[in-house]
Amino acid sequence: MKIVGLLLGAATLLASSSAFAACPYDYNCLNNPYGAGSPYAPNGINNPYSNRGSPYSNNSANNPYATNAPRIYDQSGNYRGRLSSNPYDPDSTSNPYGRYGSQYSPDSIRNPYGAGNPYGGNSFFVED
């Protein structure tokens, strides 16, 4: 399954920072509450009863102990880590010391001057 959209909103939800709506009208965007961001999407990360949104599933972005969270890629196919709330996973976007979660790493979507530049025109994809 592939979900496209700017992940800064979804990744920011995991870190409980303020999110901005980068693509609120795109059905595949995680910021669209009636599309991929719906809490009723059958395999959505915002659905607490789905495999990818449950706080108990090993495949979930919302399980702080998950080791198989959804992977993030940019539009060029570069791997950008795992959309995970696990602060200890080295590939997690929530690991503040990891390559993909540090605000200083050029590969991190959390770095506003690197891969996470909101004006850089990057689109990110979430894949199982």
Side-chain angles (χ1 to χ4, degrees):
M1 176 178 183
K2 197 183 261 193
I3 298 176
V4 66
L6 284 173
L7 287 181
L8 291 177
T12 319
L13 290 175
L14 295 174
S16 61
S17 301
S18 63
F20 65 92
C23 52
Y25 304 111
D26 182 359
Y27 181 79
N28 293 318
C29 183
L30 295 173
N31 290 332
N32 183 343
Y34 303 106
S38 170
Y40 307 107
N43 203 18
I45 64 170
N46 293 330
N47 181 348
Y49 303 105
S50 76
N51 190 33
R52 293 177 57 180
S54 168
Y56 308 107
S57 171
N58 191 42
N59 301 322
S60 174
N62 299 316
N63 179 353
Y65 306 107
T67 56
N68 193 30
R71 294 179 303 272
I72 303 170
Y73 294 92
D74 65 14
Q75 75 270 15
S76 301
N78 297 319
Y79 179 68
R80 296 296 179 194
R82 291 192 175 270
L83 184 61
S84 170
S85 59
N86 184 343
Y88 304 108
D89 182 1
D91 283 356
S92 173
T93 57
S94 294
N95 182 343
Y97 305 107
R99 178 178 180 184
Y100 303 107
S102 170
Q103 63 181 346
Y104 305 109
S105 171
D107 296 325
S108 174
I109 64 170
R110 296 193 182 278
N111 182 347
Y113 304 106
N117 184 344
Y119 304 107
N122 284 334
S123 292
F124 298 96
F125 302 89
V126 177
E127 293 186 344
D128 287 333

